[in-house]
Amino acid sequence: MTESCINDEELNKVLSVMKIIEGTSVDGVGLRTSIYFAGCSHHCEGCHNPQTWDVNNGHPMTVKEILNVIVDNDFNVTFTGGDPFYQLENVIILAKAIKSLLGKSIWCYTGYTIEDIKADNDKSRLLQYVDVLVDGRFVLPLRDTSLPFRGSSNQRIIYLK
């Protein structure tokens, strides 16, 4: 990491992370590093990660520590959780670093719809770094295990890049 588009203050920003799974193939195309962020206000019925709802359930990791995990395994990246938009400001810093320093693709799972995100000036800033958005809340009556990369039929895979 040599490019200085990210400063030391940004590299030291802290995110609450539940876990990082290296080399998974269930959270997007190809092998990926999936970062499970803590914090979610959607509270979808039947959520498979309800422990992620409380941001305090995660453990603190700096942007730099997360980047080091990504560098070590050299896979593209998925943001999931919880909901990455719950820790928006520091997730944007992380996404910016992943794109500018590492050149990795980013998939992002969220309970918000793309329409909700685009209507919100703050949330929409993350989209400039995301290649693929999986949007929409998990809806238990629409659960469909045959769908790739999503849990219910209302959720969409949206290619942004």
Side-chain angles (χ1 to χ4, degrees), residues 138-148 150-153:
F138 172 75
V139 177
L140 189 57
L142 300 178
R143 181 175 183 257
D144 186 343
T145 58
S146 71
L147 295 172
R150 55 199 192 273
S152 58
S153 60

Side-chain angles (χ1 to χ4, degrees), residues 27-89:
D27 294 325
V29 173
L31 292 177
R32 310 189 71 76
T33 298
S34 287
I35 305 163
Y36 286 76
F37 294 103
C40 184
S41 58
H42 302 297
H43 300 178
C44 302
E45 179 186 359
C47 173
H48 73 283
N49 287 324
Q51 68 278 12
T52 66
W53 295 353
D54 185 345
V55 73
N56 297 310
N57 285 346
H59 62 277
M61 289 185 77
T62 65
V63 167
K64 185 175 184 176
E65 290 170 328
I66 297 168
L67 288 173
N68 286 337
V69 172
I70 296 166
V71 167
D72 285 347
N73 62 55
D74 200 30
F75 299 126
N76 287 313
V77 178
T78 297
F79 293 166
T80 188
D83 193 315
F85 284 86
Y86 196 86
Q87 299 184 67
L88 182 62
E89 292 306 317

Side-chain angles (χ1 to χ4, degrees), residues 124-139:
S124 64
R125 293 181 302 131
L126 180 57
L127 295 182
Q128 68 183 304
Y129 304 107
V130 172
D131 297 280
V132 179
L133 185 75
V134 182
D135 81 337
R137 294 177 184 217
F138 172 75
V139 177

